[in-house]
C-alpha cells in the first residue's frame, strides 16, 4: 500500500498562534481528504518564524504549547508533523511533534542550531541530542529540522537508525541563488546517504526576510522528483511506493531576476497585510528607484491601494515631473503634486541668521529631502498608509541618502537591491507590461537637490561602484583584495570609506527586504563607534 | 618574595587596534616601573569590545594578530596578559595570551561564550575546552575570561589543576545594580573554591554599552581586598604574599543614581569622542528631559562644546521658554531661539488641499515635532555637532514620540532611563549645583503640541506607567501577572498595547545608553510584524 505524504508550504504569521493553528487544522483536514497519511508543516509553524525575543516570554511559550493540544484534539485520521517551541525543565527546544488521533506520538528537538547571518537560534534554544523515528504503514520516517540536514551526518545517522524517509521541516529564508544552493547541498547529502527526503519550507514575508517555499522531494539518488511552486502557498501530496517517491510535478526554478521580483512583491504584500496598513504611499521623483517601487507596490497591493506624491522643487527637471506622471498613469494610481518650495524657503529663512557666515553645503540639500519626508509622513499618518522608502542598497551602503529625508518611511523594498539590479528589475517588469518610461531607465541618475546634479558627481559610476560594494559588504573582501581584482584604487577607497562611516545612517533606516546573502539589518551587525577603516590595508602598503 | 599584579582598567576603542596597542604598551611599561610582575588587561583589549561583525573580516583578524607581535616585541621584563581574537585552522577563539620577553608563553580560549542579552559570542567564536596555567615566581596563575567565572566549575577546576590565583579578563557591561551582582556571584564562587581572584574590567562607552570598570581583587575567603574606582581609567598594583592578596584601597561602590549619572556622562563623552563630533547640540523645550540631557552633555563635554536651540510654537508656554533660557544660562552654554511657526504654517498650507475633508489628529502634532527635527538636523549637519535626542525610556516604550521629529538625532542618552528615573537623576544633578529650575521638576510634563496638552491626557500617570513598563519589558511579565501585582487593569492594557505596536518606531530610533538589564536595541530583539499582544492573557480570562 503506497504511503502518501502531504507537503504544507503555507504562509504563517509570527505570533498569530490562533490563526496559525487554524491554518494547520484546515490544511491537515484537506490533506486527509486527499488521502494523505502524513502532512508535514514548516519549522515553528505554530508561532511563525522567526519569533525572535518573544521566545523569552513565558506567556508566549504557554500559548504555543496550548495550541498543540488544540490542534491535536481537532485533527484525526492523519499524522500531523508540526514545529513549535517546546519547554522542558526550563530549557527551550526548537521542536517538531507528530500528532496522531489526539496524541503526540513522537517528539524531536533540532540538533543543529544556526547562529550566524540572520539566525540567533542559540540565543533561545538548547540543542537536541537524539534522532527521532516514527512508523507509518511499516515505513520508518525520521524527523529533522532545517539546519540539521545542511550538516554532514544527521541524514546518514537516521538511515543507520533504520529510517526509510527523512522529513525536513524548514523556515529557510530566500536570497538570490538560495534555492539552487539548498538543493545542491541537501541532495548531495541525500545521495550519499541513499535515502529519500521530503523538504517542506514556509512561504511569506516577515520583516526583512522572505521565505520562498520551493519545497521538494528527492529520491534516494538525490534527484528531485517533486518541487512546489516558489513564492506561493501550496498543499501537495507525494506518493511513496516501498518508501520510494513517485514522479510528480517539478515546478521550474525561476530565473534570478524573476525570483527577486517575486520576493520583493511578496515582501511588500506581507509587510502591509501583517501590519494592518490601509495600502501604501510613496514619493515619485521620476527616477528609476521610485518607478520600480511603484510597480512593485501595485503588483503587490493593487492600484487602488497605492498612492504617489510628486514633490518638485526648483531643481526638478520638467522631464522628471513628466515621467513621474506617466508612471502613475500607466499603473492607474492616484497621485498628488505638492511643490516643496514654500517649506524649503521657510526653513532657509528661519536658519538664515544662524547660517549667515557659512557656505552652502549638503545641509541645504538635506533640508529639501527632509521637507519631502515631512510631507510624506503627514500623508501616511493621516491616511494610515505605509510609506515606502525608495532608496536602493548602493545608496544605503555609501550613505547617499538623507536621514529623515528620503530615508523616511516604514519599509524599504530596495534596501538590499543594488542600483544595477534596480535597472535589471525595471527592465524585467517592463517585459510584463510597459509601465516605466524608457527615458527613466536610460537617463543618468540624479538626486536633483542642486543644479544639474548627477549621482556620478559624488560617487563612482554604478558599474564600478556596485561590484566593489558587493565584494566589500557581501563577501568581506579587503580593499587590497578588491584592487587586486582590477578595480580602480580611487573608486575602491572612496566606496569603502563611505561604507565605513555611514553605519549610523543605516542603524536608523527602515527595515527592508533581504535578497542577497548579506543584507543590512540583523544580517550585518557593525558597531557605529568604530575605528575600522577598510582602506587601512592600502595605506600600509 | 611577594608577587605584584597590575590591573589595567583602561578605555579601549573598538577597532582602533593601533591606538589600543599603544595603550597596552604604555600601561605595561608603567606597570613594570611600578615593579609589577604581571599586568592584566581586559577581554579583547586589542580590538576593543564588542567588535561585532568586524570579527567576520579576515583583514581585521590579521590586524589583531599582527598587534600581538608588535606588543610582544616592545614590552620586556613583565608578563603581559591581553585579550584578542585568535584564529586557528579557520576557527576563531576569544583568546587571552601571556606575553613574556617577546614570546607568547601561554594561550587560553574562553570556554563559556555568552549568547544572550546584548551578547552574540557564539556567532563568532568557538568555545575553548581547556584550562590554562602559567607560573610566575613559583605561583601558578590561571587564565579565565568574563563569562567563564559566572558559571560554576571553572574556578574550582583551575584550583584542582594547581592554580593559586585566578586571573579574569573582562568586558562586562554596566547596568544598574550590576557591580553588586557581579561581586556577589563571583565572590561566592571564589569562596567556595577557596582561591583568590583578580578581576579586570574595561571602562568606557561603546555605542549602547557602558563598561564601568570596578575591577577588584578577592581573597580566598571571597572578601574584596581591593576595588578600583568605577567609571575611571586606573592602573593599580596589588601585592600577593604566598599567593594571598594584601589589603589595598577599596573604592566604594556609588549609589545607584550616582552610578547611572556617571554612566550617562561617560556614554555621551565616548560617543562624541570616538565618532569625532565637534561637540553636541540639542533642542531645549523647558521640559525635564531636555534639561537633564543638557546637564549631562555639559558635564560630559564642557559648556563650550554644547549648544542648545529653543524652538517655540503657538503652544509653547512662556514658562517653558523662560525655564529653557534659565537652564542654558545656568550652564553657561550658547543657545539660539527659532520659532517653528513659519515652517509649520507652510506645511499646513501645502497639505490643506489634501487634508480639506479630514479632522485634526496627531498628524498636525507630528508636523510640529518634525519641523523641529529638520531645524536641529540642519544645524547639526552645518556644524558637525552630534544631535542628542532627549526622549526617555517611558516615551520610547509606548511610542509617545514622533519618528523623525523629537526622535531625530544621532544619540539618545535617556533611551533606557524611565521618566521617574529622569526626575531622580535631575534631582541628584541639582545637589551638585542648581542647574535645573525647580519648576521644571514640579510642573506636569507636556509635549506642548496642542493647547494645554499634558502627557497624562494620553498616558497613565508615570507613577503607574513606569513600574508596569519595567515589569513588561525588563522582566517579561504578562499582563495577567502585572495585574495580579495590583496595577489597574486599564493602565496595564493601555501601556502594554502601546508597547506592542510601537516596535516600528523603536527600530528606527537612535542608539542610546543601556542602564537597565534590558534596554532597547541589541538587548531586545522583537519582530515588527507580530501578532503578539501582551493583553491577550487578559481577554481570555
Amino acid at each position: 500500500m503506497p504511503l502518501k505524504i502531504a507537503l504544507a508550504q503555507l504562509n504563517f504569521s509570527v505570533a498569530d498562534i490562533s490563526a496559525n493553528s487554524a491554518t494547520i487544522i484546515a490544511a491537515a483536514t484537506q490533506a486527509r481528504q486527499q488521502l494523505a497519511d502524513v502532512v508535514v508543516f514548516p519549522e515553528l509553524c505554530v508561532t511563525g518564524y522567526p519569533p525572535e525575543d518573544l521566545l523569552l516570554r513565558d506567556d508566549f511559550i504557554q500559548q504555543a504549547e496550548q495550541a498543540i493540544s488544540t490542534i491535536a484534539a481537532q485533527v484525526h485520521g492523519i499524522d500531523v508533523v508540526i514545529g513549535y517551541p517546546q519547554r522542558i525543565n526550563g530549557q527551550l527546544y526548537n521542536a517538531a511533534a507528530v500528532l496522531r488521533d489526539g496524541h503526540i506520538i513522537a517528539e524531536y528537538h533540532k540538533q543543529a542550531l544556526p547562529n550566524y547571518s540572520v539566525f540567533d537560534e542559540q540565543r533561545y534554544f538548547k540543542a537536541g541530542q537524539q534522532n527521532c523515528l516514527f512508523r507509518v504503514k511499516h515505513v520508518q520516517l525520521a524527523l529533522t529540522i532545517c539546519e540539521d540536514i545542511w550538516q554532514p551526518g544527521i541524514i546518514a545517522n537516521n538511515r543507520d537508525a533504520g529510517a526509510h524517509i527523512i522529513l525536513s521541516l524548514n523556515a529557510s529564508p530566500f536570497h538570490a541563488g538560495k534555492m539552487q544552493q539548498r538543493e545542491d547541498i541537501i541532495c548531495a547529502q541525500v545521495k550519499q546517504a541513499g535515502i529519500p527526503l521530503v523538504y517542506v519550507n514556509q512561504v511569506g514575508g516577515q520583516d526583512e526576510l522572505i521565505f520562498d517555499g520551493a519545497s521538494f522531494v528527492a529520491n534516494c539518488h538525490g534527484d528531485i522528483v517533486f518541487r512546489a511552486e516558489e513564492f506561493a502557498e501550496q498543499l501537495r501530496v507525494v506518493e511513496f511506493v516501498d518508501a520510494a517517491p513517485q514522479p510528480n510535478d517539478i515546478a521550474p526554478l525561476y530565473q534570478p531576476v524573476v525570483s527577486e521580483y517575486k520576493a520583493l512583491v511578496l515582501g511588500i504584500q506581507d509587510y502591509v497585510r501583517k501590519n494592518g496598513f490601509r495600502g501604501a504611499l510613496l514619493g515619485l521623483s521620476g527616477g528609476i528607484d521610485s518607478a520600480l517601487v511603484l510597480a512593485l507596490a501595485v503588483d503587490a497591493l493593487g492600484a487602488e491601494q497605492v498612492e504617489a506624491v510628486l514633490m518638485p522643487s526648483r531643481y526638478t527637471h520638467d522631464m522628471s515631473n513628466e515621467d513621474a506622471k506617466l508612471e502613475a498613469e500607466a499603473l492607474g494610481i492616484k497621485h498628488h503634486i505638492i511643490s516643496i518650495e514654500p517649506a524649503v524657503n521657510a526653513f532657509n529663512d528661519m536658519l538664515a541668521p544662524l547660517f549667515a557666515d557659512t557656505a552652502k553645503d549638503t545641509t541645504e540639500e538635506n533640508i529639501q529631502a527632509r521637507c519631502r519626508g515631512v510631507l510624506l509622513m503627514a500623508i501616511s499618518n493621516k491616511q494610515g498608509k505605509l510609506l515606502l522608502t525608495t532608496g536602493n542598497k548602493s545608496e544605503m551602503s555609501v550613505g547617499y541618502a538623507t536621514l529623515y529625508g528620503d530615508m523616511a518611511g516604514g519599509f524599504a523594498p530596495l534596501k538590499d537591491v543594488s542600483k544595477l539590479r534596480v535597472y535589471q528589475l525595471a527592465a524585467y517588469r517592463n517585459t510584463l507590461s510597459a509601465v516605466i518610461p524608457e527615458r527613466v531607465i536610460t537617463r543618468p541618475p540624479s538626486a536633483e537637490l542642486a543644479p544639474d546634479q548627477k549621482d556620478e558627481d559624488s560617487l563612482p559610476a554604478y558599474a564600478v561602484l556596485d561590484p566593489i560594494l558587493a565584494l566589500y559588504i557581501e563577501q568581506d573582501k579587503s580593499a587590497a583584495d578588491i584592487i587586486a581584482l582590477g578595480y580602480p584604487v580611487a573608486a575602491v577607497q572612496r566606496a569603502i570609506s563611505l561604507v565605513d562611516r555611514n553605519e549610523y545612517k543605516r542603524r536608523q533606516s527602515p527595515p527592508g527586504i533581504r535578497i542577497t546573502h548579506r543584507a543590512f539589518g540583523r544580517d550585518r551587525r557593525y558597531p557605529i563607534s568604530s575605528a575600522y577603516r577598510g582602506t587601512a590595508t592600502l595605506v600600509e602598503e
Side-chain angles (χ1 to χ4, degrees), chain A:
Chain A
M1 200 161 43
L3 176 73
K4 292 185 173 190
I5 300 179
L7 291 79
Q9 172 180 304
L10 301 173
N11 191 338
F12 295 93
S13 294
V14 164
D16 206 346
I17 292 175
S18 59
N20 294 340
S21 300
T23 299
I24 291 166
I25 291 165
T29 305
Q30 201 184 327
R32 191 192 52 189
Q33 287 161 358
Q34 294 176 32
L35 306 178
D37 302 291
V38 182
V39 56
V40 183
F41 289 90
E43 179 179 13
L44 289 184
C45 55
V46 170
T47 57
Y49 189 94
E52 302 191 74
D53 278 8
L54 290 170
L55 290 169
L56 304 179
R57 300 196 75 93
D58 274 354
D59 56 344
F60 184 72
I61 300 301
Q62 282 167 18
Q63 286 170 37
E65 285 168 349
Q66 279 168 14
I68 303 303
S69 314
T70 308
I71 297 166
Q74 295 202 32
V75 186
H76 292 263
I78 184 169
D79 287 358
V80 181
V81 183
I82 52 177
Y84 72 111
Q86 186 186 19
R87 190 167 43 187
I88 299 175
N89 298 329
Q91 296 280 9
L92 200 64
Y93 297 91
N94 184 335
V98 182
L99 312 181
R100 179 182 292 173
D101 295 325
H103 300 283
I104 296 178
I105 63 153
E107 268 172 357
Y108 173 70
H109 299 152
K110 187 174 183 177
Q111 299 178 64
L113 299 172
N115 206 65
Y116 55 85
S117 179
V118 299
F119 303 107
D120 279 319
E121 292 199 16
Q122 292 170 26
R123 181 175 172 88
Y124 310 110
F125 299 117
K126 190 172 156 69
Q129 303 286 339
Q130 292 173 23
N131 296 334
C132 172
L133 275 65
F134 68 105
R135 182 180 291 269
V136 185
K137 287 184 172 172
H138 308 294
V139 179
Q140 289 278 21
L141 304 178
L143 294 176
T144 64
I145 302 177
C146 210
E147 190 79 1
D148 284 337
I149 57 167
W150 288 70
Q151 316 229 342
I154 292 183
I155 292 180
N157 280 347
N158 274 299
R159 179 206 54 203
D160 295 347
H164 302 126
I165 301 171
I166 305 287
L167 304 182
S168 169
L169 290 73
N170 296 270
S172 177
F174 167 82
H175 62 71
K178 178 75 171 281
M179 293 78 80
Q180 196 60 60
Q181 182 197 16
R182 206 184 270 152
E183 291 185 0
D184 288 351
I185 290 174
I186 293 168
C187 290
Q189 305 258 16
V190 164
K191 186 178 178 182
Q192 205 181 357
I195 174 171
L197 179 139
V198 176
Y199 182 98
V200 180
N201 192 17
Q202 74 169 347
V203 68
Q206 169 59 26
D207 289 351
E208 298 174 336
L209 302 181
I210 302 300
F211 298 90
D212 53 302
S215 301
F216 64 87
V217 174
N219 68 17
C220 65
H221 309 295
D223 301 321
I224 302 285
V225 298
F226 165 77
R227 186 189 297 121
E229 196 185 330
E230 294 175 74
F231 305 106
E233 289 198 312
Q234 303 257 291
L235 179 70
R236 297 294 303 273
V237 177
V238 174
E239 201 171 281
F240 289 74
V241 175
D242 295 334
Q246 302 303 298
N248 203 310
D249 299 336
I250 302 180
L253 293 177
Y254 293 114
Q255 290 299 307
V257 72
V258 181
S259 68
E260 287 167 33
Y261 195 89
K262 285 182 182 284
L264 296 172
V265 167
L266 180 57
I268 294 171
Q269 209 164 50
D270 273 4
Y271 196 86
V272 167
R273 181 173 63 83
K274 293 181 178 178
N275 288 290
F277 285 100
R278 296 183 220 127
L281 172 80
L282 76 163
L284 207 55
S285 69
I288 186 74
D289 299 317
S290 60
L292 177 61
V293 172
L294 178 64
L296 288 164
V298 170
D299 290 347
L301 309 171
E304 67 290 344
Q305 294 290 308
V306 182
E307 213 167 295
V309 190
L310 282 62
M311 294 168 291
S313 78
R314 72 198 78 171
Y315 304 122
T316 307
H317 281 91
D318 291 341
M319 179 166 54
S320 302
N321 286 324
E322 289 159 16
D323 289 343
K325 277 182 230 169
L326 287 173
E327 293 159 15
E329 284 157 14
L331 287 159
I333 60 133
K334 189 151 115 182
H335 72 276
H336 314 284
I337 304 178
I338 307 176
S339 161
I340 61 167
E341 289 291 318
V344 172
N345 291 336
F347 281 118
N348 285 334
D349 291 348
M350 290 153 75
L351 287 162
L354 208 61
F355 291 176
D357 300 324
T358 64
K360 279 203 178 185
D361 55 21
T362 51
T363 303
E364 285 74 17
E365 300 187 14
N366 287 335
I367 288 173
Q368 298 168 57
R370 292 194 179 113
C371 285
R372 294 193 173 103
V374 173
L375 285 172
L376 290 167
M377 286 302 296
I379 301 170
S380 167
N381 289 163
K382 192 65 99 181
Q383 301 188 344
K385 287 200 169 77
L386 171 66
L387 175 56
L388 296 172
T389 309
T390 62
N392 59 58
K393 187 175 194 176
S394 309
E395 292 170 353
M396 203 50 37
S397 301
V398 297
Y400 196 71
T402 299
L403 201 51
Y404 323 133
D406 51 313
M407 286 175 65
F411 200 57
L414 305 184
K415 188 175 177 185
D416 198 35
V417 183
S418 74
K419 187 78 174 186
L420 295 181
R421 205 65 180 156
V422 167
Y423 284 106
Q424 290 161 346
L425 287 161
Y428 162 71
R429 179 60 185 81
N430 271 356
T431 65
L432 306 181
S433 64
V435 293
I436 303 173
E438 192 56 28
R439 191 164 64 173
V440 175
I441 298 179
T442 53
R443 63 188 281 215
S446 165
E448 296 195 330
L449 295 170
D452 295 320
Q453 191 176 38
K454 304 269 176 300
D455 289 12
E456 295 189 6
D457 300 341
S458 308
L459 301 175
Y462 287 111
V464 175
L465 178 63
D466 279 358
I468 294 172
L469 294 175
L471 288 162
Y472 188 64
I473 294 166
E474 290 162 31
Q475 299 186 40
D476 288 330
K477 296 292 182 203
S478 72
D481 296 338
I482 298 170
I483 288 167
L485 290 169
Y487 292 94
V489 177
V492 172
Q493 282 181 316
R494 175 91 180 130
I496 288 181
S497 67
L498 288 171
V499 173
D500 289 342
R501 58 180 200 243
N502 280 290
E503 185 57 29
Y504 77 99
K505 281 193 193 178
R506 289 187 288 269
R507 192 68 70 90
Q508 292 190 45
S509 62
I513 301 167
R514 178 175 182 265
I515 67 158
T516 72
H517 81 282
R518 167 92 43 88
F520 298 123
R522 296 273 197 262
D523 206 357
R524 186 178 187 269
R525 305 178 189 176
Y526 268 55
I528 297 176
S529 305
S530 165
Y532 176 77
R533 293 296 171 262
T535 51
T537 51
L538 303 181
V539 177
E540 284 171 10
E541 283 182 351

